Amino acid sequence: MSAISVEAVSKRFRLQRGAPRTLKDRLVLRGQKVAPPEDFWALREVSFEVAQGETVGLIGHNGSGKSTLLKCVGGILTPTTGSVRVNGRLASLLELGAGFHPDLTGRENVFLNGSILGLSRREVERRFDDIVSFAELEDFIDSPVKFYSSGMYVRLGFAVAVNVEPDVLLVDEVLSVGDEAFQRKCLDKVQSFQRQGRTIVLVSHAVDLVQSICDRAVVLDHGRLVADGDAAEAVTTYRRVLYEPQMRMVDAGDPAPVSDPAGAEPSDPAESSADAMTADGEDGPPAEAPSDLTMGERHEQARTGGVQIVDVWCGPSHHNTTYVESGDELDVVVTYDAAEAIGDAMFGIAIADGRDGKEVYGVNTGLLEVEMPVIEGRGTVTFHLGSVPLLAGSYPVTIGITSQDEGTIYDWREQRHRFEVLARNPGVGMVAFDVEVTVEAEQHQETTHGSA
Amino acid sequence: MRVAALNQRGPGQPVGIVAELWNHRELLVTLIRKDLKVRYRGSSLGFFWSMLNPALYLGVFYVVFQLILENGIPLFAIYLLSGLLVWNLFSSSISGAAGSIVDNQALVKKIYLPRAIFPLAAVGSAFVHFVLQLGVLVTILVVTGYRVAWSYLWLAALGLVVIVVLAAAIGVLLAAVNVRNRDVKHFLELVLLAWFWMTPIVYPFGLVQENLGDRSSLALLNPVSSVVLVFQRAIYARTTAPNGDSILPVEGQLWFLRNVGAVGLLAVVLLFLAFRYFRSVEGDFAEAL
């Protein structure tokens, strides 16, 4: 049984200028002509299902309708047409601490908020200590929340909401609040929800986050669903939608845009389109001129498929998460499937900077002088990175399987995977250095030296 | 599951609003408690504030009507209070309920709740005040050894239920209307002022009967009058002043039961219509606020 089913939901907002807002206006303006209402369709015929235990990301640019859709699922807005069905207890984290009353103490607000979110008083009592310790507010729980900092406010709101233990959790951008440590805690909580088989729908601009924690993603553009599928592919579609106007400009300069289907002859990269990057079954915009392809995209075009990448896992060793802290160990595990016996396979990984796509580090089994056996059938190759000296951010990972001489590309996944780094290091940039600062005053000169 | 009502939502499966509210009854209690807590937080007099309003009315009306106008109602304080408390319950219920959706917009826009719970919580909080004020009145009655009409008390209890249902119906309706017409509250103030003086609280119904004669039953078209009368009959309990002036109608229990029953019927129908209207527009609240 699906946890959420959204069937052909459309939502119309009526914008009426000069419409009467008060009874007085209604009486006074009676009979006067009012401008006809302008209709704005925030959602059009959106349908999708979310299975029990699935984590689905909802992405789209500003104004694409993703928050409206989430509100329709949450029952806050009623769809103009179509229907939404939710099975199970639902909690929505649309705004943390909505319903907190500033004059009430933290304790009173926990009970109030808990019961707004559907807990009985007894249930709140049972979870009260967990809530307070999760929010790390033991010392302030009996002060009115108007004296709380915004961080404390949000922490308490999140703590109550996640302790409702909903079957279906709707999250709107709230994971980007609080400090790094609290964010990590929130992510941990979300991931423990996933392990418990709860259903999560997440709205976010942070595509990296969506890619790392969602099984699936739904992309909205101007109220229409334009992609629904594997998170990585959906993110690619999203980026495409976001940058579509620029792409069109590129196309305009090209007299004869090539638009081959995705299954174009791989041996001829010059003729292929970039459709391989779009979601399955999705008609992409006209392909860019071949010269626009990056090296990586060409590699993807050129793969022969002798060995296939079946699955890739990047995350910290021993933890079932996809984020690490600076200095943690990181595993990149590549599961391959070789259709025939191949003796010259070389596995490579490259880590890029999520902000500009520039390579941070790359290595392959050839450079590492790893003796590669003849591979046939399924197996894994694990790259164990002893330490990740990176600052906070999202780092896309490219995986390639080539021949030793790199003349044949068996399979290539250009930046399709990624891991997140959470850093306690306060520095800016990309590399996490260990820094100690010593300040010493010299005897005769009263100046201060800083050293980094 | 406690929130079973959430399971099948959407235009295809309208859930009975009453069933949904019943599932959230504990939240209703919490919201009422919150309202009372917030109202008296930071005030040193606390609940005594809610006694101040009837005490002030009592003082002013005593001076104006008993001393200046010499209306000749014996034990005017008890006469006034027995009607005024019911009126206060009614008027503070609907004025609180009318603004309740707008006042709680932070919640309405962010969390799904059966939204009719907000006007009902306003009625509930008014009811708590009524009980406290009634407590004071009862204390006065006991201390002074006042003789109430025991055989009419059950009718007063019935009247209490009826007035709460009536107030809830009007409150739910106005709460919904107020979302798109924010001046409902101002209109309501004027209407309530007129309504108050059209109800025999300060002056006796006997006076109305005297002046209108046969047409005095027209005054009973005001549904609040019937409930106020039954309270006065039960608590104040005197139908005639020592000088022979009529204060309350000299009628049996059946007459009061008929009036209160008619208002009760009206209240139930009105509540049904109010819920239906509320249900039809509540989907727009989040966007209209």
Side-chain angles (χ1 to χ4, degrees):
Chain A
M1 187 168 62
S2 57
I4 300 170
S5 94
V6 174
E7 279 165 43
V9 163
S10 297
K11 179 70 192 173
R12 178 187 59 206
F13 288 112
R14 283 235 134 113
L15 309 170
Q16 195 168 23
R17 270 174 242 291
R21 297 282 299 155
T22 61
L23 286 175
K24 191 198 84 196
D25 286 353
R26 265 180 224 277
L27 295 173
V28 175
L29 299 176
R30 205 167 42 161
Q32 282 187 24
K33 266 198 178 162
V34 179
E38 287 169 41
D39 281 356
F40 167 68
W41 288 89
L43 291 174
R44 283 178 195 266
E45 297 285 312
V46 174
S47 301
F48 68 94
E49 304 256 324
V50 180
Q52 213 118 49
E54 212 177 2
T55 303
V56 174
L58 221 54
I59 50 182
H61 55 85
N62 283 331
S64 60
K66 53 189 193 307
S67 291
T68 305
L69 181 56
L70 200 68
K71 283 185 176 174
C72 285
V73 173
I76 296 154
L77 292 176
T78 313
T80 310
T81 60
S83 70
V84 175
R85 236 189 286 183
V86 177
N87 290 303
R89 170 144 47 185
L90 180 138
S92 46
L93 297 186
L94 298 189
E95 187 176 294
L96 294 176
F100 276 3
H101 196 288
D103 287 336
L104 299 179
T105 66
R107 179 186 304 273
E108 287 163 336
N109 270 307
V110 166
F111 280 93
L112 175 63
N113 212 234
S115 106
I116 284 169
L117 292 174
L119 291 181
S120 68
R121 201 174 170 78
R122 184 171 296 178
E123 282 173 306
V124 180
E125 266 162 25
R126 209 167 49 230
R127 289 159 210 206
F128 186 79
D129 292 337
D130 288 345
I131 292 172
V132 176
S133 71
F134 188 89
E136 300 164 19
L137 285 172
E138 289 87 345
D139 297 337
F140 304 98
I141 199 63
D142 287 311
S143 319
V145 297
K146 64 182 169 193
F147 299 127
Y148 282 20
S149 69
S150 58
M152 290 156 82
Y153 200 88
V154 160
R155 254 150 53 201
L156 192 61
F158 189 88
V160 177
V162 296
N163 273 286
V164 170
E165 301 195 356
D167 303 311
V168 178
L169 182 70
L170 307 181
V171 185
D172 189 358
E173 293 289 4
V174 292
L175 293 179
S176 49
V177 297
D179 58 13
E180 200 92 30
F182 191 71
Q183 271 184 37
R184 172 166 197 157
K185 219 160 143 178
C186 295
L187 278 176
D188 275 337
K189 193 77 190 177
V190 166
Q191 277 166 341
S192 85
F193 270 25
Q194 288 178 317
R195 280 194 297 274
Q196 290 161 8
R198 297 176 201 273
T199 311
I200 301 170
V201 179
L202 174 88
V203 162
S204 186
H205 276 115
V207 287
D208 309 337
L209 182 77
V210 169
Q211 219 166 355
S212 65
I213 66 178
C214 296
D215 310 318
R216 218 178 94 202
V218 170
V219 184
L220 290 178
D221 180 38
H222 295 100
R224 290 176 200 278
L225 191 148
V226 294
D228 176 0
D230 172 69
E233 284 174 356
V235 165
T236 311
T237 309
Y238 165 65
R239 292 221 161 97
R240 188 173 272 274
V241 166
L242 198 62
Y243 299 116
E244 200 173 8
Q246 290 96 306
M247 284 182 169
R248 288 237 171 86
M249 279 161 63
V250 173
D251 290 339
D254 189 345
V258 199
S259 56
D260 283 4
E265 289 237 336
S267 57
D268 200 348
E271 285 292 314
S272 314
S273 69
D275 277 0
M277 296 290 282
T278 61
D280 288 338
E282 155 78 358
D283 281 328
E288 300 96 312
S291 58
D292 289 345
L293 288 181
T294 62
M295 188 68 104
E297 283 166 333
R298 286 182 197 210
H299 283 152
E300 287 205 335
Q301 299 304 320
R303 61 208 166 150
T304 61
V307 188
Q308 280 187 334
I309 301 167
V310 181
D311 189 30
V312 175
W313 160 256
C314 25
S317 322
H318 322 300
H319 293 291
N320 191 18
T321 59
T322 57
Y323 54 84
V324 295
E325 273 190 44
S326 297
D328 278 0
E329 296 169 40
L330 178 80
D331 280 344
V332 179
V333 184
V334 183
T335 308
Y336 62 82
D337 190 359
E340 56 205 87
I342 290 183
D344 68 341
M346 184 164 79
F347 286 70
I349 59 166
I351 296 168
D353 184 348
R355 288 166 296 190
D356 54 13
K358 289 222 174 75
E359 199 158 285
V360 175
Y361 179 72
V363 79
N364 62 39
T365 50
L367 293 169
L368 292 167
E369 296 177 3
V370 176
E371 289 281 340
M372 285 300 289
V374 176
I375 56 168
E376 189 172 6
R378 274 179 180 249
T380 59
V381 174
T382 302
F383 292 82
H384 177 78
L385 284 63
S387 153
V388 179
L390 295 171
L391 287 177
S394 167
Y395 294 88
V397 177
T398 299
I399 309 291
I401 308 176
T402 63
S403 59
Q404 295 284 3
D405 57 5
E406 295 184 51
T408 310
I409 295 167
Y410 292 119
D411 201 355
W412 193 275
R413 291 196 181 183
E414 180 71 15
Q415 304 195 353
R416 297 292 191 100
H417 306 278
R418 62 184 56 220
F419 62 91
E420 316 288 323
V421 176
L422 299 174
R424 292 189 196 284
N425 191 314
V428 293
M430 198 192 318
V431 182
F433 285 98
D434 275 332
V435 184
E436 271 177 49
V437 180
T438 321
V439 181
E440 276 175 75
E442 277 182 32
Q443 296 267 305
H444 8 274
Q445 285 171 307
E446 288 179 11
T447 48
T448 314
H449 290 277
S451 66
Chain B
M1 181 179 291
R2 245 172 39 78
V3 280
L6 269 178
N7 287 359
Q8 296 211 325
R9 217 161 5 77
Q13 291 85 19
V15 178
I17 198 165
V18 177
E20 203 176 5
L21 286 170
W22 179 249
N23 285 330
H24 286 80
R25 60 192 180 279
E26 202 166 348
L27 176 60
L28 184 63
V29 174
T30 310
L31 287 177
I32 294 169
R33 288 164 72 131
K34 177 206 101 177
D35 190 66
L36 297 174
K37 255 186 210 164
V38 169
R39 191 174 307 190
Y40 298 110
R41 181 64 40 102
S43 75
S44 47
L45 290 181
F47 274 110
F48 284 99
W49 278 115
S50 48
M51 304 302 154
L52 213 58
N53 168 292
L56 191 74
Y57 268 75
L58 191 63
V60 171
F61 289 152
Y62 180 79
V63 170
V64 174
F65 289 91
Q66 195 97 38
L67 300 185
I68 301 175
L69 293 176
E70 296 180 340
N71 64 2
I73 299 175
L75 294 160
F76 182 64
I78 289 172
Y79 173 78
L80 181 73
L81 282 180
S82 55
L84 187 64
L85 297 196
V86 178
W87 172 260
N88 279 351
L89 168 62
F90 178 74
S91 73
S92 60
S93 287
I94 57 179
S95 54
S100 61
I101 299 290
V102 174
D103 294 343
N104 285 291
Q105 51 180 305
L107 280 177
V108 172
K109 283 196 280 192
K110 296 292 178 187
I111 297 175
Y112 178 78
L113 291 170
R115 280 154 282 220
I117 207 162
F118 298 114
L120 294 186
V123 174
S125 138
F127 187 78
V128 173
H129 282 114
F130 169 80
V131 170
L132 291 168
Q133 294 176 350
L134 189 69
V136 174
L137 179 60
V138 168
T139 311
I140 294 173
L141 295 178
V142 169
V143 168
T144 58
Y146 194 88
R147 293 166 63 92
V148 298
W150 291 102
S151 57
Y152 283 86
L153 276 181
W154 66 275
L155 278 167
L158 181 68
L160 185 60
V161 174
V162 166
I163 199 80
V164 167
V165 175
L166 184 68
I170 298 172
V172 166
L173 198 69
L174 292 182
V177 175
N178 191 44
V179 171
R180 286 196 183 270
N181 306 279
R182 296 294 176 86
D183 55 350
V184 163
K185 276 199 113 167
H186 305 302
F187 275 83
L188 187 62
E189 270 174 39
L190 298 178
V191 171
L192 283 176
L193 187 65
W195 202 337
F196 175 73
W197 290 105
M198 278 162 52
T199 310
I201 296 166
V202 179
Y203 55 89
F205 187 72
L207 206 61
V208 179
Q209 280 181 315
E210 217 169 88
N211 290 322
L212 292 182
D214 291 342
R215 286 168 296 152
S216 67
S217 52
L218 280 180
L220 291 174
L221 287 181
N222 173 2
V224 184
S225 291
S226 297
V227 179
V228 163
L229 278 175
V230 81
F231 261 81
Q232 290 168 336
R233 183 67 189 83
I235 295 173
Y236 180 66
R238 297 169 186 215
T239 53
T240 319
N243 62 7
D245 282 353
S246 161
I247 297 174
L248 293 173
V250 189
E251 305 276 0
Q253 293 164 336
L254 215 58
W255 186 84
F256 286 98
L257 179 62
R258 189 198 69 190
N259 292 347
V260 171
V263 177
L265 209 62
L266 170 80
V268 169
V269 172
L270 212 56
L271 186 67
F272 176 75
L273 294 177
F275 274 151
R276 245 181 60 168
Y277 174 71
F278 193 90
R279 193 105 187 126
S280 73
V281 296
E282 71 171 333
D284 291 338
F285 286 172
E287 52 197 275
L289 284 168

